[in-house]
Amino acid sequence: MINSSASSHDAAVAIAGARAGADVVRTLYGRRLTRIDKGAGDFATAADVDAERAILEVIRAARPDDAVLGEEGGQQGAADAARQWLVDPLCGTLNYAVGNMLVAVNVALREGAAAVADPFSGEVFFTDGETAWGRRDGTDDVLLAPTSATRLVDVNLDPPFPSAPRFRAVDLLAHPGFAENFRPRVVSTTLALAWVAAGKRAAYVTDGGDLSRSVHFAAGIALCRAAGCVVTGIDGAPVGGPGRGLVAAADEETHGLLMSMVRSRT
């Protein structure tokens, strides 16, 4: 399944970390959790903090010399380290806080292995950096196969909107061609990126800067790339270079349709 021993081990670390975080998120679900204000309407909960702690324990035990950037704990180790893990312990905190189970736990080695866990379905989507797989307890691993058959496109409508007024995601939904070709979904978690890789979504669109090193997006981008999706910025430029935001599509046709709509609105 995975040729490189090193990347295989890194994938195992990513999976173990994501599962450890998912266990915490699932255990604390439904409890009244104090909100930790982070400003600009953003907040964390004890579930975010405890899940990140559980993930870091896994990484430190397996890779003690690696640096880590965590959503809650910030940078640990050199920011320019050759090996850096990007950790988002609970993507979809607002969903979670109001009793919505649409959340994800993201763990990614920059430019390497990654895993995204769904705490409530029990699914883990993972990659060694070359191939992407899905795993559910009690079943064999399944190679992720992107497809646009669902025609469902997830659009992130959460602020900030750095490309406005030139590009607004909400304007994409108002494009006549969107309704002719797709159906919108807004789950407000990067679990939707894993769903593009797994064929559960045709595409995902969000505004933003360079998202390649974002704790929120790195794992999902890695999955999509390894699964063979088309991944660019909203301007069509490569993510991790000049590209801003993200358009991740199951195939070239879907990506081309979305890009034509984005360009016509800008």
Side-chain angles (χ1 to χ4, degrees), residues 22-72:
D23 287 345
V24 173
V25 170
R26 188 170 52 254
T27 298
L28 295 180
Y29 179 74
R31 300 186 188 182
R32 174 171 286 182
L33 301 173
T34 301
R35 297 189 179 190
I36 304 164
D37 183 33
K38 299 167 71 174
D42 193 14
F43 64 90
T45 70
D48 299 73
V49 175
D50 290 355
E52 181 166 303
R53 185 180 298 114
I55 295 166
L56 294 186
E57 287 177 357
V58 171
I59 295 173
R60 285 171 181 152
R63 299 287 187 267
D65 297 328
D66 289 359
V68 178
L69 175 61
E71 166 73 0
E72 309 308 331

Side-chain angles (χ1 to χ4, degrees), residues 9 63 92 115 164 183 187 191 197 202 205 223 227-228 231 247 262 264:
H9 292 163
R63 299 287 187 267
R183 290 294 178 267
V187 301
L191 180 62
V205 181
L223 281 173
V231 181
V247 178
V262 169
S264 72

Side-chain angles (χ1 to χ4, degrees), residues 25-234:
V25 170
R26 188 170 52 254
T27 298
L28 295 180
Y29 179 74
R31 300 186 188 182
R32 174 171 286 182
L33 301 173
T34 301
R35 297 189 179 190
I36 304 164
D37 183 33
K38 299 167 71 174
D42 193 14
F43 64 90
T45 70
D48 299 73
V49 175
D50 290 355
E52 181 166 303
R53 185 180 298 114
I55 295 166
L56 294 186
E57 287 177 357
V58 171
I59 295 173
R60 285 171 181 152
R63 299 287 187 267
D65 297 328
D66 289 359
V68 178
L69 175 61
E71 166 73 0
E72 309 308 331
Q75 182 68 46
Q76 299 183 39
D80 59 352
R83 289 174 55 89
Q84 182 185 49
W85 294 86
L86 305 171
V87 175
D88 183 359
L90 178 49
C91 186
T93 299
L94 180 55
N95 286 350
Y96 185 80
V98 299
N100 187 319
M101 293 182 178
L102 289 174
V103 301
V105 177
N106 299 318
V107 179
L109 177 63
R110 195 176 67 208
E111 305 300 330
V116 176
D118 180 338
F120 299 103
S121 74
E123 289 178 294
V124 180
F125 308 95
F126 64 95
T127 177
D128 62 347
E130 297 180 1
T131 309
W133 299 79
R135 175 178 297 177
R136 188 192 291 267
D137 289 340
T139 62
D140 294 334
D141 292 347
V142 176
L143 189 68
L144 297 187
T147 173
S148 59
T150 67
R151 312 310 294 168
L152 300 177
V153 175
D154 223 293
V155 181
N156 180 19
L157 301 180
D158 288 340
F161 309 115
S163 299
R166 184 173 177 273
F167 170 79
R168 291 187 179 93
V170 68
D171 291 337
L172 177 63
L173 301 181
H175 191 290
F178 192 95
E180 292 174 5
N181 293 279
F182 305 112
R183 290 294 178 267
R185 291 295 182 272
V186 181
V187 301
S188 298
T189 169
T190 54
L191 180 62
L193 260 179
W195 288 348
V196 175
K200 298 182 180 185
R201 290 288 189 271
Y204 176 90
V205 181
T206 184
D207 195 358
D210 175 11
L211 302 180
S212 63
R213 297 190 178 187
S214 164
V215 296
H216 307 294
F217 292 93
I221 290 172
L223 281 173
C224 285
R225 283 175 167 164
C229 300
V230 182
V231 181
T232 70
I234 55 175

